[in-house]
Amino acid sequence: MLRRAFHCFVIILSAGISCRADLTLRYSIDSKIGAGVPAAMVDMMNQQMASRVPKEQVLKIKGDKTLSGMGTLTGIIDNAGGMITLLNPATKQYARMSMADYITAIQGSVAVPAAAQQMLASMSIDIQNKATGQVGMVAGIRAEEHLMTMSMSMNMPGAGGAATPMMRMEMHTWLASPDDLTRIPALREYADYAQRALNTFNATGQMEKIFAQMPGVGDKLRVATQEMPKNPGSLTVKTQQSVYSPMMAMLSGTKADPNAALVEMHMDLTDISTAGIDDAVFEVPADYQSVSSAEILKAMQPLAAIAPKAAVAPAPAQ
């Protein structure tokens, strides 16, 4: 559920980006099953990840339109009209809706059953976001590392003592250094686009609405996002996401390492280009069939075999 919500965040973040020039960002994606997964589940999870997780993410921006390819769907956002078109290349189907309706649909799709809400309410949830002080070079861009961690633990009946760790998600994000804005023109353009986007679309606020129905998560997510860097135009050039579940390893009754990750995903910027983009890129192909938004959103279902879900927010903008 959390994985699906963060996955939707990629398109939400893209929605506010409006620019007057053309810009293309390419990211390579590498995902793998960790040693924390019981051996009996590895093959099944690998098969599902191979079909669900792409090897590349591409973001194209031209005028008031943005195209974001991620996972099984592609989103075309018309910022001027406040509309989004979701395309499923596998089925050659598409659905067009307002951004407001899209957000409402996403909120409904991650609805938390009453029983799950009670379980979340009984958990101790902690979300931290901080700059680590680490720096590095990605695609020729100097980047600074930030770390967001979400931990969940629960007092097990009859266990006594400290709460039992249930799950931990870590996301390392490397943001382009503000100093490189003067050295790399494309970064300066991107920062300008992203700053204008914040004036018209509050992506963080929309994400908070989605998580509001998860007891203990929404409020702490709001606090954590307030600790994000104050340079919102910085480009994300690299992310590393991992999810851990000592409880899953314990309950499986296998030799799975309880301290190892269940899933790991790396995303690296490989190219940033200001070359011109054909207008046809933002049009629905003639052989695509129109379907309902509910039908198209089925393709965004999370990997059923992964529980708990990993948080994915490899969004190109902050």
Side-chain angles (χ1 to χ4, degrees):
M1 185 175 296
L2 290 173
R3 185 181 184 89
R4 184 178 186 183
F6 275 106
H7 181 84
C8 299
F9 198 23
V10 173
I11 296 180
I12 293 175
L13 280 172
S14 302
I17 300 177
S18 176
C19 42
R20 298 179 178 86
D22 297 357
L23 192 64
T24 300
L25 307 173
R26 294 184 180 276
Y27 294 81
S28 65
I29 302 174
D30 179 36
S31 57
K32 66 178 182 179
I33 304 300
V37 175
M41 297 178 61
V42 171
D43 288 342
M44 177 174 59
M45 291 177 65
N46 275 326
Q47 291 175 7
Q48 291 205 12
M49 289 189 71
S51 64
R52 295 274 184 169
V53 182
K55 297 297 183 181
E56 182 182 57
Q57 177 183 346
V58 180
L59 178 70
K60 292 181 179 291
I61 307 167
K62 184 182 181 71
D64 287 317
K65 294 185 178 180
T66 305
L67 179 144
S68 177
M70 181 65 186
T72 55
L73 295 182
T74 297
I76 300 175
I77 299 110
D78 180 355
N79 294 285
M83 302 294 292
I84 180 171
T85 302
L86 296 177
L87 301 91
N88 188 338
T91 61
K92 292 190 174 182
Q93 296 175 325
Y94 77 95
R96 184 174 288 115
M97 67 199 84
S98 69
M99 281 303 302
D101 287 343
Y102 172 71
I103 297 299
T104 299
I106 295 304
Q107 287 179 280
S109 69
V110 295
V112 182
Q117 289 194 23
Q118 291 179 0
M119 183 176 70
L120 283 171
S122 66
M123 287 184 177
S124 174
I125 300 174
D126 181 61
I127 303 177
Q128 299 292 330
N129 191 18
K130 65 178 182 180
T132 67
Q134 298 296 312
V135 297
M137 297 293 291
V138 180
I141 299 172
R142 178 182 172 86
E144 302 170 350
E145 184 190 35
H146 298 261
L147 172 62
M148 178 177 282
T149 304
M150 176 188 289
S151 302
M152 298 182 178
S153 58
M154 176 183 289
N155 291 313
M156 303 300 290
T164 301
M166 301 288 290
M167 180 179 68
R168 185 177 82 257
M169 295 181 288
E170 296 180 355
M171 183 169 69
H172 299 258
T173 304
W174 283 263
L175 302 177
S177 169
D179 295 338
D180 270 9
L181 295 182
T182 58
R183 186 174 66 88
I184 304 175
L187 289 182
R188 188 165 58 251
E189 290 184 16
Y190 184 88
D192 181 41
Y193 306 155
Q195 186 60 57
R196 290 201 307 271
L198 292 177
N199 297 329
T200 58
F201 190 88
N202 183 0
T204 300
Q206 298 298 338
M207 199 61 188
E208 289 175 358
K209 290 181 181 179
I210 291 176
F211 281 102
Q213 59 187 312
M214 301 180 185
V217 177
D219 291 341
K220 293 185 178 179
L221 180 66
R222 183 181 303 107
V223 173
T225 54
Q226 289 174 350
E227 298 302 319
M228 284 183 174
K230 302 307 179 182
N231 50 332
S234 292
L235 179 69
T236 296
V237 299
K238 178 184 178 71
T239 62
Q240 176 184 337
Q241 302 137 32
S242 305
V243 58
Y244 303 82
S245 180
M247 178 61 68
M248 180 177 177
M250 183 188 308
L251 296 178
S252 69
T254 67
K255 296 182 179 180
D257 185 352
N259 298 312
L262 294 180
V263 181
E264 296 179 347
M265 182 177 293
H266 299 256
M267 175 181 277
D268 296 86
L269 178 70
T270 57
D271 183 58
I272 177 170
S273 170
T274 55
I277 303 173
D278 193 326
D279 290 340
V281 169
F282 303 94
E283 298 176 358
V284 177
D287 59 344
Y288 274 47
Q289 178 184 3
S290 176
V291 297
S292 68
S293 58
E295 178 66 23
I296 208 76
L297 288 172
K298 289 180 181 179
M300 298 183 76
Q301 292 292 337
L303 304 182
I306 300 179
K309 311 302 181 194
V312 177
Q318 292 296 317

